[in-house]
Amino acid sequence: MENKAPQNAMKYFCPYCGNVFYSNTQHGAICTFCKLFVDFTESEVMQDQAFIVSRDANAAISNMKEYDLSKIEAISRAKGDPNYMYGAAMLLLKLSDVKHSSKNYYLGGFMEDNTKNEIESHELYSRAKLLLYDTIYLCESKKSSDERLYYTEFLSYIALGNINKAGKLLDYIEKSEKTKDVASFAKMLFAIEKNEKMAEKYANDEINKGEAAAYFELARLYAKNAKLKKAKKILSMLVSNSISLPDSHILLEKINKAISP
């Protein structure tokens, strides 16, 4: 899903999840959809079939629409690249969230449509978890020759809610020269998951660096700490600017329900 361009921004293309986004960082950026670090330009990804397929899926899911992700799952596995498998898992997780959030409690009867959506949401989540565990397995076997995979494995554990394993990987990420581009963002994510006192500062530091992906993380932190008006202000901006969707849409809807009289 392509967000609007801020002034003097760079345009990046994430081959792993199909996201097209802008960032004020000049030499690569954190993807606003999957949180992997990317520095690819359009000419570099347009020959990649995985990107072409994922781009259409990403646009649909970012607009809260359904999409058949089975082909993307197959392509990501065929590549044998943990980053592509992680990207496919993120598409599955986001679609699962979309399906879960689409429940309509005003339906009459036994609400069969809601039941169908919930079943499909659980199925998508299960497929995503399987891909994430397979991603971790591949990272474990390959990260000795590619230290950047420490970050991919870290993100996978964050997505699975295994904060302890993620924390152990964070030490490697902060020490390695190969992961210096993502070290501060990883530290911010971990701090938010642990609800540490410095989390807000870390998020604002990332925003000041130009990382658009940090805006949603700051909103998520505010929401976790019941600072709903602050979270809503950020999320409203993100939704209007098409950044970090569908996360922003779903969290904003939850906040609006929580603060409505």
Side-chain angles (χ1 to χ4, degrees):
M1 177 66 180
E2 183 174 346
N3 59 274
K4 298 175 185 176
Q7 190 175 6
N8 301 319
M10 295 288 289
K11 189 175 185 179
Y12 295 108
F13 296 76
C14 180
Y16 312 119
C17 73
N19 189 27
V20 180
F21 66 102
Y22 292 91
S23 173
N24 283 326
T25 58
Q26 299 298 304
H27 303 287
I30 301 294
C31 175
T32 56
F33 192 94
C34 73
K35 301 185 184 71
L36 285 171
F37 179 82
V38 296
D39 56 2
F40 296 91
T41 60
E42 186 172 14
S43 61
E44 293 176 290
V45 299
M46 291 308 291
Q47 304 303 315
D48 186 351
Q49 181 63 22
F51 170 76
I52 301 299
V53 176
S54 296
R55 178 190 57 188
D56 295 339
N58 192 295
I61 295 169
S62 293
N63 282 296
M64 309 291 285
K65 297 177 181 178
E66 293 188 43
Y67 200 93
D68 184 356
L69 296 173
S70 55
K71 184 176 181 180
I72 293 169
E73 288 179 81
I75 290 175
S76 71
R77 288 187 179 282
K79 277 183 170 289
D81 184 323
N83 290 316
Y84 283 93
M85 291 172 65
Y86 169 80
M90 288 302 99
L91 289 167
L92 286 161
L93 279 181
K94 309 285 187 183
L95 184 55
S96 174
D97 288 342
V98 169
K99 295 293 293 183
H100 179 72
S101 68
S102 65
K103 289 190 295 186
N104 180 1
Y105 291 104
Y106 293 100
L107 293 173
F110 292 101
M111 298 190 291
E112 290 86 353
D113 286 344
N114 283 345
T115 301
K116 179 175 178 290
N117 283 337
E118 198 61 28
I119 290 172
E120 291 176 353
S121 175
H122 283 299
E123 180 193 356
L124 288 162
Y125 180 71
S126 296
R127 286 157 59 187
K129 282 183 66 177
L130 181 60
L131 262 179
L132 287 170
Y133 282 119
D134 288 345
T135 298
I136 290 167
Y137 176 81
L138 273 182
C139 286
E140 285 288 337
S141 65
K142 295 187 175 187
K143 65 188 181 187
S144 61
S145 58
D146 185 357
E147 292 182 21
R148 292 171 297 179
L149 293 178
Y150 278 105
Y151 180 61
T152 307
E153 187 176 1
F154 167 85
L155 289 176
S156 298
Y157 276 123
I158 289 287
L160 288 166
N162 193 328
I163 309 305
N164 290 333
K165 291 270 182 81
K168 292 176 182 178
L169 289 161
L170 182 60
D171 291 337
Y172 290 98
I173 292 168
E174 292 187 300
K175 292 174 184 176
S176 174
E177 179 69 19
K178 299 290 186 181
T179 53
K180 63 180 181 180
D181 291 324
V182 299
S184 61
F185 195 87
K187 182 172 69 172
M188 176 205 70
L189 284 177
F190 185 74
I192 290 173
E193 294 299 327
K194 298 279 285 185
N195 209 15
E196 295 177 354
K197 289 183 179 180
M198 294 296 288
E200 183 176 0
K201 178 186 182 301
Y202 295 156
N204 280 310
D205 287 347
E206 292 302 298
I207 289 170
N208 291 334
K209 282 168 51 180
E211 290 288 5
Y215 280 104
F216 175 78
E217 301 306 324
L218 179 59
R220 186 165 66 89
L221 176 66
Y222 284 146
K224 284 181 67 171
N225 290 282
K227 298 178 180 179
L228 300 185
K229 289 185 178 179
K230 283 188 172 184
K232 181 177 179 178
K233 183 177 180 181
I234 296 172
L235 293 167
S236 297
M237 178 272 291
L238 296 179
V239 167
S240 66
N241 200 36
S242 300
I243 301 174
S244 300
L245 299 177
D247 295 326
S248 301
H249 264 306
I250 294 171
L251 184 53
L252 181 59
E253 183 178 325
K254 289 179 180 178
I255 289 173
N256 283 334
K257 287 179 180 178
I259 64 179
S260 62

